[in-house]
Amino acid sequence: MRGLNVLLVEDSDQLAGSTSRELVREYGHTVTWLRDPVLLEVELAKQRFDVAIVDLLYEHLSREFMARRLARKVRVRGEQLLISGLTAIRVLREQHPPVATVVWTSGEHNRRLHLLYSYQDLEMRTYCSKSPGTGRNDSLEFAARMSYEQRHYVDPVLNPYLPAERGRRASEILLQDDCKRAIWRAIAIGAHTRTDIGRLAGYSERTVGNRIPEMYRDLLEFDVGLSTNSRAPLLELVRYVEGNWEFFLDDAVRAMYP
């Protein structure tokens, strides 16, 4: 089999280096490495790739965005939000569909919504875990080859994070309503009271108060593990967002759900 021209989008220098060397030496592929998707379109304009291997979250971008968030320099509307692997997937899907794409990530809790979104909204079907347990990248190479051949592959480690059956998309449950989207994002920015949420989201405190119980019911439909007897739905929403703020403030998600 001929070697593939691979684009690797991964923020860890050490992991990207060892992976690139193995894909080149063991499998005969050519590898170009990007630390994040910021310059993705520039690189795609330079050469043709067979496969893109894309991480979902980039620590340095999340850290820089967190600093902006804590300094209250993030807004619900207008400016660019967090750049993640969803941006890379969206660009590849919409502007470079011949490039096969593999999601390469770990199964951490804060990646669950990103994994669901990539599967349900961006129609990704090839996933490989960063922790296959072999100490080698044979699973990643196999996933890249499967994606290039337009065949589906889901690493068993990541399978529990993907939808098991057909049903309403997570984005349909959580993001379909304009007002609710703004409230989710205001909470993710750091607003934890109805007054602050309303100010950031651009809605009255009364409107926010009416929507919060609805949003908690939405969340219960989406995540059956949550308590159904909470008397403080706003607190439950804040707790949920604290573990998933990267998703609610993801720039690619906002591009599809403004």
Side-chain angles (χ1 to χ4, degrees):
M1 293 185 292
R2 78 171 181 87
L4 302 175
N5 193 15
V6 176
L7 176 62
L8 176 62
V9 189
E10 162 61 44
D11 60 330
S12 168
D13 297 17
Q14 182 176 0
L15 182 57
S18 62
T19 299
S20 297
R21 286 191 295 272
E22 187 171 332
L23 291 176
V24 171
R25 294 173 183 175
E26 299 292 328
Y27 302 103
H29 302 317
T30 301
V31 180
T32 299
W33 170 50
L34 290 179
R35 194 175 182 220
D36 56 51
V38 173
L39 296 178
L40 175 65
E41 295 184 67
V42 174
E43 197 62 44
L44 289 170
K46 292 180 182 178
Q47 57 179 310
R48 178 188 176 278
F49 293 98
D50 297 309
V51 179
I53 298 171
V54 180
D55 190 10
L56 283 179
L57 292 175
Y58 305 90
E59 185 177 351
H60 62 290
L61 295 183
S62 293
R63 187 168 56 247
E64 292 167 5
F65 190 84
M66 173 68 84
R68 286 176 52 206
R69 182 171 162 243
L70 293 176
R72 301 183 182 274
K73 295 181 179 179
V74 178
R75 300 289 179 266
V76 169
R77 300 175 182 84
E79 61 193 61
Q80 187 180 72
L81 295 181
L82 178 67
I83 299 298
S84 76
L86 296 180
T87 294
I89 296 168
R90 186 167 177 262
V91 168
L92 289 161
R93 284 291 205 230
E94 294 180 358
Q95 302 178 28
H96 302 270
V99 182
T101 308
V102 178
V103 171
W104 188 42
T105 190
S106 57
E108 297 175 25
H109 177 76
N110 67 328
R111 287 165 168 77
R112 181 190 176 211
L113 291 177
H114 284 85
L115 283 163
L116 282 172
Y117 188 89
S118 71
Y119 188 94
Q120 295 175 324
D121 289 76
L122 299 178
E123 300 182 347
M124 281 297 305
R125 292 297 182 267
T126 310
Y127 294 84
C128 185
S129 169
K130 288 184 176 180
S131 306
T134 64
R136 292 172 51 82
N137 288 298
D138 47 357
S139 295
L140 180 59
E141 199 281 334
F142 180 74
R145 184 68 65 177
M146 291 286 283
S147 183
Y148 177 69
E149 295 174 358
Q150 299 183 4
R151 292 192 284 169
H152 299 173
Y153 171 74
V154 178
D155 189 310
V157 175
L158 297 178
N159 197 54
Y161 294 88
L162 300 176
E165 57 187 38
R166 298 183 66 84
R168 288 217 296 163
R169 300 191 312 273
S171 57
E172 184 180 354
I173 297 171
L174 300 176
L175 303 175
Q176 201 64 37
D177 180 89
D178 292 353
C179 179
K180 292 178 182 179
R181 286 198 302 274
I183 292 173
W184 281 120
R185 288 169 184 151
I187 295 173
I189 288 171
H192 294 167
T193 67
R194 289 174 174 81
T195 300
D196 288 344
I197 292 169
R199 177 175 52 80
L200 290 180
Y203 291 92
S204 70
E205 184 176 345
R206 180 177 180 179
T207 298
V208 171
N210 289 337
R211 290 303 178 95
I212 284 172
E214 296 176 15
M215 293 171 66
Y216 185 59
R217 289 193 293 272
D218 294 341
L219 198 56
L220 290 174
E221 177 185 348
F222 171 70
D223 195 328
V224 295
L226 295 174
S227 170
T228 59
N229 299 316
S230 176
R231 296 182 179 180
L234 176 55
L235 179 59
E236 296 295 337
L237 296 187
V238 170
R239 286 173 176 169
Y240 188 81
V241 171
E242 284 178 347
N244 296 280
W245 69 266
E246 290 103 329
F247 175 78
F248 290 106
L249 295 179
D250 192 290
D251 200 67
V253 175
R254 190 180 63 175
M256 189 170 289
Y257 296 94

